[in-house]
Amino acid sequence: MSPDHTVPIAEISKATLTLLREIKKPLTINDPAGGRDTKIPWEEACLAEAYLPVVLLAAEAVWVDITGTGFDLDIRETPGTTVGYTLQGIRGATYSVIMLCVIDVLEALGSGQDEMVLNDLIEIWVNGHSNHGSAPDVMQGAA
């Protein structure tokens, strides 16, 4: 893959939204301290400044397990955004590879449940991607 190849974030966002609509399960964030769940709109889950970085880090972990290489995600800390990070770019994988991994993550996330709990992606964020910082507070139930 050439160094100047990028996958448009808008295309990944749109395809992820389509996938969530096909899966038809609600997305939630659990707050164990407060004992409540917050429903996350599918559209918000697909925004580069909301939950899309978390979903793509989980998808990247799938690809790393298979190939030993990542997506070359450009995720930057951005205070004031939903999880404190924004996806700025994707340079190390093709659209098809990324979406196959996103499909794998979302199907696993909703497997055997009536909803998809985004907190379940925390372990992937922390263990597989420490170079992107700690798991967002909102994902840890601090919101």
Side-chain angles (χ1 to χ4, degrees), residues 48-68:
E49 64 278 1
Y51 296 98
L52 190 59
V54 178
V55 172
L56 285 182
L57 282 170
E60 182 182 52
V62 170
W63 192 239
V64 169
D65 285 347
I66 295 168
T67 68

Side-chain angles (χ1 to χ4, degrees), residues 49-139:
E49 64 278 1
Y51 296 98
L52 190 59
V54 178
V55 172
L56 285 182
L57 282 170
E60 182 182 52
V62 170
W63 192 239
V64 169
D65 285 347
I66 295 168
T67 68
T69 61
F71 294 164
D72 193 13
L73 298 173
D74 181 2
I75 296 175
R76 300 193 187 162
E77 192 169 347
T78 50
T81 58
T82 303
V83 297
Y85 295 88
T86 299
L87 177 64
Q88 300 286 323
I90 310 165
R91 293 180 296 276
T94 64
Y95 171 86
S96 298
V97 164
I98 293 165
M99 287 313 302
L100 286 171
C101 294
V102 168
I103 290 166
D104 190 55
V105 165
L106 293 180
E107 285 183 346
L109 193 60
S111 176
Q113 302 176 51
D114 292 334
E115 63 185 8
M116 295 187 294
V117 182
L118 290 175
N119 302 68
D120 293 344
L121 300 178
I122 292 172
E123 187 174 336
I124 293 170
W125 180 293
V126 173
N127 292 338
H129 303 284
S130 59
N131 60 323
H132 290 294
S134 62
D137 290 342
V138 70
M139 298 292 291

Side-chain angles (χ1 to χ4, degrees), residues 17-34:
L17 179 58
T18 299
L19 180 60
L20 288 169
R21 287 178 174 154
E22 288 177 11
I23 294 172
K24 297 180 183 174
K25 290 186 179 185
L27 289 171
T28 61
I29 296 273
N30 292 8
D31 178 2

Side-chain angles (χ1 to χ4, degrees), residues 31-55:
D31 178 2
R36 64 176 185 209
D37 297 340
T38 302
K39 187 174 178 180
I40 306 301
W42 293 328
E43 294 80 8
E44 184 178 351
C46 299
L47 295 174
E49 64 278 1
Y51 296 98
L52 190 59
V54 178
V55 172

